Amino acid sequence: MQASDLHATVLTDLIDRLLGPAGTGEALRAISDGCETARTAGLGQDAAAMARLDGVTAGLDPILRESALAYVSGDLRRYLHILDMLDNVLDLAPLDGINQIYWSMQRQLFLMRMDMGSVPDFVVERLFPFYERFLRQMAARLGLAPVGRKAGQPDTGRVVIVTNQFLSAEHQPSRDLLLLAVRLQRDLGRTVLVLNTNMMPDRYYSPFVPPFAAAVEDRLSGEQTIRCGGERIRMLSSTAPGVTADKLSGFLSAVAAFDPDLVIAFGGSVIVADLLESAHPVMCVPTTSGQIISLADIVLDFGGHAPPAGNGRLARSWRPSRFGLSLRRTGETATRAEFALQEAEFVCVVVGNRLDAETDGAFLCLLGRILDAIPQALVLFAGGVESLPGRLATDRHAGRLRSLGHVDRMEALMSVCDLFVNPRRTGGGAGAAQAMAGGVPVLSFDGGDVASVAGPSFLVADEAAFVARAVALADDPTLLADARQEARDRIATVEREGADNGQLFAYMAEAASLFAKRR
């Protein structure tokens, strides 16, 4: 089928979906599937097709329309239209709907689905100020007024860590949060309270596509004590859905009663932590290399990259230090037979929690070029998936593309792999770190968490270099052995940098000092 015929077919299907029902999660997911098909088919670069799509959808719900066209084209100017619309009704629109739209935008940015060149200053100049206005509106409408300690009173030695979503020890950011809490209590002598706020939407409140709902661990509700690293960590959770006065005022009251010296926002856009910035010093510890939004006094980096553009609040708060990733080191190994692998095979592995979205058509084509060039190669996919196995089954390399689903024995899996292959994405840093700790070299483009963790020696400039690097490693045992050792050395360096308690203490003290100057 020629490109023009394909575009016509895809466009017709997408229009039918957009003009059809959109009032349920199932309908929104069907529209999103059509948008994804159009995006991967290149419809966004077809000016005539986009003009027709623009015209026939003019009467649709503006949030549905603008988000769908943004999905297909990657054009952030569509998101500007949405932000302008929300600003006009910010005092009237349901808070849950605004929250849904904000996080859905953030997810598309995280998945690298948007063309940052279309609005280069989108995050710093538009999304961040909107986030500030949203929080002010939330505080005003829900009557939220955090209470801090009077100036001049002595420190209490207490720290609150706030996260949007704590899930389990299987969830890398949750595990890293516990590691931070342990370090604060065991090494720095602090008493820690963790707030698991579940402020990301857990259901659909808006017709934004693609719809986004975060996972919630229902058993983590109320007060718990978690044992980790020989420490007992106290945690308060609320699994109540939505943005409500009871939920937020409950968290603010708990913080006032605990009376911390410092609030740590674990991740970006941590709503409860940012609501507390008027009453307490706040430090933000990012969990990704993406552009972090935070009202904290100090915002750590994820890998020593350049600060946010300009001289605004985000740029002033940025500090070039990465908090360490928690790696599982059980020493467990495996034989290739345990994973149905042959000794002579060159085993590539792709690891992630979002492989359905990250393993798109373009990445499968790239993997196909590697498999064409290396007859003994195969690719494993490790991570929970739904749609990926079906797509792999219809690929021309179906027998050499194997989805393992969720893998508990990740360290054992890495012991039988030769190369960690990374799609274009923001996430994946924890998987890459685990691979490198096991002596598995990384193959990645620049940009994203994996590139930040792996460092320049494991990055390539384009697809031709991507394939050539894989071929070189498969063909030269000495080169592969050297790359394995370099991977181990690199991750050891990253771990040392992230485990610097002196640096962590210095940033905590600086955050307190900056707060004292601005209060």
Side-chain angles (χ1 to χ4, degrees):
M1 183 181 294
Q2 294 185 351
S4 57
D5 295 333
L6 174 61
H7 285 185
T9 300
V10 169
L11 178 61
T12 298
D13 176 72
L14 179 56
I15 289 173
D16 287 345
R17 296 189 188 209
L18 283 167
L19 298 182
T24 65
E26 183 178 349
L28 290 175
R29 288 190 291 273
I31 293 171
S32 298
D33 290 343
C35 290
E36 175 64 16
T37 299
R39 184 188 74 85
T40 57
L43 202 70
Q45 288 69 54
D46 185 331
M50 290 304 297
R52 174 159 171 71
L53 187 60
D54 207 348
V56 299
T57 59
L60 293 180
D61 180 293
I63 300 299
L64 174 65
R65 177 180 185 268
E66 295 297 330
S67 61
L69 269 64
Y71 192 167
V72 174
S73 66
D75 190 346
L76 281 169
R77 288 173 294 186
R78 298 286 180 179
Y79 282 1
L80 294 183
H81 297 163
I82 293 176
L83 294 181
D84 288 340
M85 286 188 285
L86 292 179
D87 271 330
N88 289 333
V89 296
L90 200 55
D91 59 337
L92 299 172
L95 293 173
D96 284 318
I98 300 171
N99 193 48
Q100 170 83 58
I101 292 168
Y102 175 79
W103 284 107
S104 296
M105 283 186 180
Q106 281 281 41
R107 183 166 175 80
Q108 287 298 90
L109 294 173
F110 179 82
L111 291 174
M112 295 186 174
R113 291 295 185 262
M114 305 307 296
D115 175 15
M116 301 307 296
S118 60
V119 184
D121 60 356
F122 176 75
V123 173
V124 172
E125 297 296 332
R126 295 304 302 273
L127 191 60
F128 177 57
F130 175 79
Y131 175 73
E132 289 185 286
R133 292 192 294 274
F134 175 41
L135 291 191
R136 287 198 295 270
Q137 189 62 223
M138 187 185 301
R141 288 167 61 175
L142 300 182
L144 305 175
V147 177
R149 187 188 312 154
K150 292 181 180 180
Q153 293 193 347
D155 289 349
T156 63
R158 303 185 189 116
V159 174
V160 168
I161 305 177
V162 189
T163 182
N164 282 318
Q165 235 83 3
F166 185 97
L167 294 176
S168 70
E170 300 299 316
H171 180 233
Q172 182 71 39
S174 298
R175 198 162 60 245
D176 290 340
L177 183 153
L178 292 178
L179 172 64
L180 175 59
V182 168
R183 287 174 61 183
L184 289 170
Q185 290 199 165
R186 183 190 63 205
D187 302 333
L188 297 182
R190 301 302 195 269
T191 301
V192 173
L193 171 66
V194 174
L195 301 185
N196 173 32
T197 59
N198 289 307
M199 290 303 297
M200 296 164 75
D202 68 336
R203 61 201 65 188
Y204 304 150
Y205 297 95
S206 159
F208 191 104
V209 293
F212 167 60
V216 173
E217 183 54 64
D218 290 333
R219 65 183 178 85
L220 295 177
S221 185
E223 183 167 356
Q224 302 88 32
T225 299
I226 299 177
R227 295 180 180 274
C228 180
E231 296 290 321
R232 294 165 59 90
I233 310 298
R234 181 185 171 210
M235 182 167 72
L236 299 179
S237 300
S238 172
T239 58
V243 179
T244 67
D246 285 348
K247 180 175 181 176
L248 286 164
S249 61
F251 281 125
L252 298 190
S253 295
V255 172
F258 190 66
D259 191 20
D261 302 324
L262 177 73
V263 173
I264 296 179
F266 201 79
S269 303
V270 183
I271 289 173
V272 171
D274 288 332
L275 287 170
L276 288 163
E277 63 87 28
S278 63
H280 299 275
V282 180
M283 183 174 79
C284 176
V285 176
T287 57
T288 178
S289 60
Q291 296 189 60
I292 298 301
I293 287 181
S294 174
L295 304 188
D297 298 281
I298 296 292
V299 180
L300 303 188
D301 191 48
F302 190 81
H305 291 156
N311 298 309
R313 183 170 186 164
L314 288 176
R316 294 194 303 271
S317 64
W318 177 86
R319 298 294 183 273
S321 180
R322 180 196 350 240
F323 174 72
L325 294 168
S326 57
L327 298 180
R328 295 182 174 184
R329 296 183 183 277
T330 64
E332 184 181 13
T333 61
T335 65
R336 289 202 159 188
E338 290 177 67
F339 288 95
L341 302 171
Q342 301 298 315
E343 291 300 327
E345 289 173 328
F346 184 73
V347 181
C348 304
V349 64
V350 186
V351 179
N353 294 318
R354 293 168 292 272
L355 293 180
D356 283 333
E358 293 166 342
T359 305
D360 57 13
F363 185 56
L364 285 177
C365 286
L366 182 58
L367 294 178
R369 291 172 59 184
I370 290 176
L371 296 176
D372 288 338
I374 309 173
Q376 75 275 26
L378 58 82
V379 182
L380 305 178
F381 297 86
V385 290
E386 293 181 3
S387 65
L388 181 60
R391 290 190 286 124
L392 297 183
T394 61
D395 191 275
R396 65 189 179 90
H397 289 296
R400 299 165 67 192
L401 298 166
R402 304 179 190 172
S403 176
L404 304 179
H406 175 75
V407 176
D408 287 321
R409 303 172 61 216
M410 189 59 67
E411 197 171 2
L413 174 62
M414 290 304 160
S415 73
V416 299
C417 292
D418 297 301
L419 184 63
F420 181 99
V421 185
N422 187 49
R424 295 184 188 273
R425 57 179 172 175
T426 299
Q434 195 70 59
M436 296 173 78
V440 181
V442 167
L443 177 56
S444 176
F445 299 106
D446 198 3
D449 297 358
V450 171
S452 173
V453 169
S457 296
F458 295 97
L459 309 182
V460 295
D462 53 36
E463 292 190 353
F466 200 97
V467 176
R469 174 65 171 171
V471 170
L473 291 170
D475 288 349
D476 188 338
T478 300
L479 181 65
L480 179 60
D482 290 345
R484 286 184 179 280
Q485 186 57 51
E486 188 172 3
R488 294 187 183 95
D489 292 344
R490 165 65 182 177
I491 202 60
T493 299
V494 170
E495 285 190 284
R496 283 195 300 272
E497 292 172 351
D500 188 340
N501 286 327
Q503 185 67 78
L504 177 62
F505 175 81
Y507 284 136
M508 292 167 60
E510 185 183 5
S513 175
L514 291 172
F515 172 75
K517 292 177 182 177
R518 67 176 171 83
R519 68 180 307 177

